[in-house]
Amino acid sequence: MASPGEAATKDSHVGKKKKEPPARYWQEVPEEGKDENKAEKDGEKPSLQKKQKTQKTKKRKQEEDQGDGKKFVSGKSDPFPGPAPLSKDRVQKFKRKDKVKKPRHQHFKLRDMMKRSEEASEMSQKQAARFDLLLPEDAGFLEGDEDEDTCTITQEDIAEAVDITSGAKYFNLKLSQFGPYRVDYSKTGRHLLLGGRRGHVACVDWQSKHLMCEINVMESVNDVKWLHSEAMYAVAQKKWLYIYDSNGIELHCIRKFNDVLRMQFLPYHFLLATASATGFLQYLDVSVGKEVAAICTKNGRLDVMCQNPHNAIIHLGHPNGTVTLWSPNQKEALVKMLCHQGGVRSVTVDKTGTYMVTSGLDKKLKVYDIRAFKPLKSYFLPAGASCLSLSQRGLLSAATGDIVQVYRDVWNAPVTKPYMAHRVRGSVWGLHFCPFEDVLGVGHGDGFTSMLVPGAGEPNFDGLDANPYRSAKQRQEWEVKALLEKIQPELISLDPTELGYVDHATFEQRHQDRVQALGYDPLAKEKFVPKYKKKGRSSAGSVEKRKKQVAHEDQREVIRKTVEDKMKMEKETKARVKKKAALSNQKSALDRFKK
């Protein structure tokens, strides 16, 4: 017989459940009541399950949106939820285009495409504004001591004051045997091309002072120009135009381009524009080796030439004091401007395509606003300027004999003295600012001089467009992408923004020609013809009634559109009035003088 205590202990052991070990991550956690609800779950429809799932997802998203912010592992919420706010001025700096009026509802595909394009543009604009903070470099400048002019500071003093790497960028190459020299830097600013008047041509990696190639073409050289990369360059020799590679091997002799005096390369169009002594402006497509256009300017010898980097328009200076603007699509000049009383000696345009600077035999230096084709400033130089060049940051270099002067803000405020000045050996024949560097290359009768000009270059470069530190593999990849994205010469125009608009006049003319050819208007709305109905429903009265009903619907659509336009105009007017009132309410510092 078991004692009552032992029986109680047995009963208690029976009542207790055995503890199960905790489930591991590779084991499935058993769900409670799974067997009980199995029959019910089997009977549910799959569509109902999906519906409940989507409802749960929506509810969860709503709760997340309503919450104060993102929750971390610790359980705390983000005190600053969402992306960081951006100032309007910073976003406006990277604005690409204005919003275009969207078409009507029937063009739904076009509306969707335009909407996606606008969203992508806004996103890239905001991203660029955010990443603007991460740009590491700032543009430098030259600042003298008290009562000291910066133009009196010599290059030797600057080279001693800066670091060793920057100081090494000031150097002189004594090449008195084959001078004077034309100068050109590659798009990345890494490589230098020198062309001597007496046939000497050299390619140099000027930062490492590594000589890539050096040849003598045994005839006079008028101009040299890098092509799309540092692997090829063009040389305008006495008779014809030649193309060489970076090892000095002759690749092409283009005899169609004879007596070439000046050259400009359009990097995004892969076009080499040449101006000749015979008065012809010619365009060569270097990607396929074909002549795109040959234009007779009828203005005599062309030895003054530059390009507008903003819209790829070529500017030519002529002996009669005019500057003409040319495109490969037209045989006549787009614009003809009378700039000087004497012949034009040099022309240059800034990178935004807003300002043009010219110098002439009348010893004047003039600044023009190309948007309005009006002069802004005019300066008198005692000996005139033979060569001009503008940097990426808007510094203007002007060569007068053997003196090179650099000016700041020539279009914003009147300039009384130069920012910097330097004397070289021999008369200057070529000037070129190095991209992304505070360096000015000067080609003269005694060789080449690399000057230090603080604040000249753009401090931050676009690694996808012009990367000075790219490898050979990156250069090959960039070249393939640039060829795929090549802009056709037909798209070169004075205003590049016009490419996004429809030419309504041309469309209407084309439509009229089509109507005359077909004998009817294919785009006209068909006249409503009531359908014949039986059982007396096509009587004269019912047919007229149906016609009036359709006419009323068309009229209602026109009225609705008119009312919408009117409301939109009223809304814009109210917004303008509100903005004007807000500006007028702002207090000025001069208000205290009002009675």
Side-chain angles (χ1 to χ4, degrees):
M1 289 284 297
S3 63
E6 288 177 359
T9 53
K10 279 182 183 178
D11 291 341
S12 64
H13 281 299
V14 171
K16 282 183 182 179
K17 285 185 180 178
K18 190 178 181 182
K19 284 187 178 180
E20 295 181 0
R24 302 297 180 187
Y25 64 90
W26 62 81
Q27 295 175 346
E28 290 185 4
V29 181
E31 297 179 5
E32 293 182 3
K34 191 175 181 182
D35 298 333
E36 298 171 3
N37 300 330
K38 193 175 181 183
E40 294 178 9
K41 282 187 180 177
D42 290 341
E44 284 179 357
K45 294 180 181 178
S47 61
L48 191 63
Q49 290 178 355
K50 284 182 183 177
K51 210 171 187 181
Q52 289 176 351
K53 196 174 183 182
T54 52
Q55 285 175 355
K56 287 178 182 177
T57 311
K58 283 180 182 177
K59 194 174 180 182
R60 182 167 44 82
K61 283 183 178 178
Q62 285 175 359
E63 288 174 359
E64 286 176 0
D65 293 339
Q66 289 171 2
D68 292 333
K70 185 180 176 183
K71 287 200 171 185
F72 299 102
V73 178
S74 61
K76 293 182 179 179
S77 60
D78 188 1
F80 304 104
L86 284 168
S87 63
K88 289 183 179 179
D89 296 337
R90 187 177 291 166
V91 176
Q92 191 70 20
K93 178 184 172 184
F94 297 95
K95 189 176 181 181
R96 294 185 176 185
K97 60 179 182 179
D98 296 324
K99 287 191 176 181
V100 185
K101 187 179 178 182
K102 292 177 184 174
R104 288 172 290 179
H105 291 288
Q106 53 259 41
H107 303 288
F108 58 92
K109 286 186 178 178
L110 180 59
R111 284 175 65 87
D112 292 344
M113 188 176 69
M114 290 173 70
K115 188 180 176 183
R116 286 197 299 271
S117 175
E118 284 179 3
E119 287 174 355
S121 180
E122 285 178 8
M123 185 191 70
S124 61
Q125 184 181 343
K126 288 178 181 177
Q127 282 184 341
R130 289 185 193 284
F131 296 145
D132 192 32
L133 293 167
L134 303 177
L135 296 178
E137 303 295 335
D138 293 326
F141 59 93
L142 186 64
E143 188 176 357
D145 295 333
E146 192 175 350
D147 299 329
E148 182 186 14
D149 287 340
T150 54
C151 62
T152 60
I153 301 173
T154 63
Q155 287 291 308
E156 287 77 11
D157 294 339
I158 297 173
E160 286 177 8
V162 296
D163 57 280
I164 298 172
T165 308
S166 300
K169 292 174 184 177
Y170 167 63
F171 60 91
N172 290 285
L173 299 177
K174 190 174 180 181
L175 306 165
S176 56
Q177 189 176 358
F178 300 105
Y181 279 83
R182 293 274 190 211
V183 182
D184 188 42
Y185 286 99
S186 62
K187 191 181 175 184
T188 59
R190 181 84 186 179
H191 299 86
L192 170 67
L193 181 61
L194 297 172
R197 179 72 176 155
R198 299 188 182 99
H200 179 224
V201 179
C203 304
V204 187
D205 184 347
W206 68 273
Q207 291 187 3
S208 63
K209 310 298 187 294
H210 170 66
L211 181 65
M212 297 165 66
C213 79
E214 186 179 18
I215 58 172
N216 197 313
V217 297
M218 304 302 289
E219 61 179 353
S220 61
V221 172
N222 295 321
D223 201 4
V224 289
K225 188 63 64 176
W226 286 110
L227 297 185
H228 55 278
S229 70
E230 58 272 11
M232 293 168 66
Y233 59 90
V235 180
Q237 295 176 204
K238 184 179 179 181
K239 278 191 177 182
W240 299 305
L241 176 68
Y242 290 82
I243 308 292
Y244 296 90
D245 71 349
S246 58
N247 296 319
I249 299 169
E250 182 185 320
L251 301 178
H252 303 287
C253 172
I254 306 169
R255 302 195 179 191
K256 273 189 177 182
F257 292 69
N258 59 314
D259 300 324
V260 175
L261 297 178
R262 299 307 301 267
M263 296 186 293
Q264 288 292 329
F265 184 70
L266 310 177
Y268 300 106
H269 303 77
F270 281 76
L271 289 180
L272 180 68
T274 63
S276 67
T278 56
F280 273 85
L281 173 65
Q282 294 171 279
Y283 289 85
L284 174 71
D285 190 339
V286 299
S287 61
V288 292
K290 287 185 179 179
E291 184 185 32
V292 173
I295 304 165
C296 181
T297 60
K298 302 176 186 176
N299 283 307
R301 181 183 174 89
L302 303 175
D303 57 349
V304 178
M305 183 185 193
C306 79
Q307 66 161 306
N308 187 338
H310 178 63
N311 54 14
I313 295 291
I314 296 295
H315 295 234
L316 296 177
H318 305 289
N320 58 1
T322 59
V323 173
T324 52
L325 278 62
W326 297 87
S327 162
N329 306 317
Q330 292 190 22
K331 297 294 181 182
E332 298 294 329
L334 301 173
V335 178
K336 187 178 283 188
M337 302 169 61
L338 180 61
C339 298
H340 294 274
Q341 293 178 356
V344 180
R345 298 183 71 184
S346 185
V347 182
T348 184
V349 182
D350 76 319
K351 69 171 187 177
T352 60
T354 308
Y355 303 105
M356 177 179 72
V357 185
T358 63
S359 66
L361 290 172
D362 54 358
K363 300 181 181 179
K364 285 188 178 178
L365 182 76
K366 293 188 177 182
V367 182
Y368 286 85
D369 187 346
I370 307 177
R371 297 169 295 183
F373 303 107
K374 291 182 180 179
L376 295 177
K377 299 281 188 298
S378 180
Y379 304 99
F380 180 79
L381 299 178
S386 59
C387 295
L388 298 174
S389 180
L390 276 167
S391 74
Q392 292 176 320
R393 301 285 298 181
L395 296 185
L396 173 68
S397 63
T400 304
D402 60 345
I403 297 174
V404 180
Q405 295 177 334
V406 182
Y407 298 90
R408 287 179 74 181
D409 297 329
V410 289
W411 42 73
N412 292 332
V415 178
T416 56
K417 58 184 179 181
Y419 170 59
M420 287 183 67
H422 182 64
R423 185 186 290 272
V424 295
R425 297 176 181 176
S427 60
V428 177
W429 206 49
L431 283 177
H432 202 286
F433 277 100
C434 181
F436 312 111
E437 293 286 349
D438 291 344
V439 169
L440 172 63
V442 184
H444 47 84
D446 200 49
F448 171 78
T449 299
S450 177
M451 282 177 57
L452 293 176
V453 183
E458 185 66 40
N460 300 292
F461 59 87
D462 184 358
L464 298 176
D465 183 31
N467 185 4
Y469 308 106
R470 65 188 179 192
S471 61
K473 185 68 177 174
Q474 286 174 324
R475 182 183 62 79
Q476 292 169 0
E477 292 290 330
W478 170 86
E479 195 169 343
V480 172
K481 288 178 182 176
L483 279 167
L484 292 172
E485 295 170 358
K486 185 181 81 166
I487 303 171
Q488 295 301 317
E490 291 82 14
L491 301 179
I492 296 176
S493 62
L494 268 177
D495 187 7
T497 58
E498 287 181 356
L499 297 174
Y501 296 100
V502 178
D503 189 356
H504 292 287
T506 310
F507 175 75
E508 287 170 5
Q509 184 63 37
R510 210 177 294 159
H511 179 61
Q512 287 177 7
D513 296 342
R514 192 179 175 194
V515 170
Q516 287 178 1
L518 295 174
Y520 67 95
D521 191 353
L523 299 180
K525 193 174 181 180
E526 293 182 6
K527 192 178 178 182
F528 175 67
V529 180
K531 188 180 177 183
Y532 179 76
K533 297 183 178 181
K534 294 179 180 180
K535 296 183 181 180
R537 285 181 295 172
S538 284
S539 62
S542 60
V543 167
E544 287 299 321
K545 192 177 178 182
R546 271 188 278 162
K547 284 183 180 179
K548 283 182 181 180
Q549 189 178 356
V550 172
H552 282 316
E553 287 177 1
D554 294 343
Q555 193 177 6
R556 197 180 302 158
E557 182 70 23
V558 173
I559 292 168
R560 185 185 60 78
K561 191 178 178 184
T562 309
V563 170
E564 283 181 357
D565 293 342
K566 193 176 179 181
M567 288 174 66
K568 190 177 179 183
M569 287 176 66
E570 287 177 358
K571 193 176 179 182
E572 289 176 356
T573 308
K574 285 179 181 177
R576 276 200 300 270
V577 170
K578 192 176 179 182
K579 190 177 180 182
K580 195 174 180 181
L583 290 171
S584 63
N585 290 335
Q586 288 180 356
K587 290 184 178 181
S588 172
L590 301 174
D591 288 347
R592 63 183 185 273
F593 299 111
K594 290 181 180 179
K595 291 183 180 179

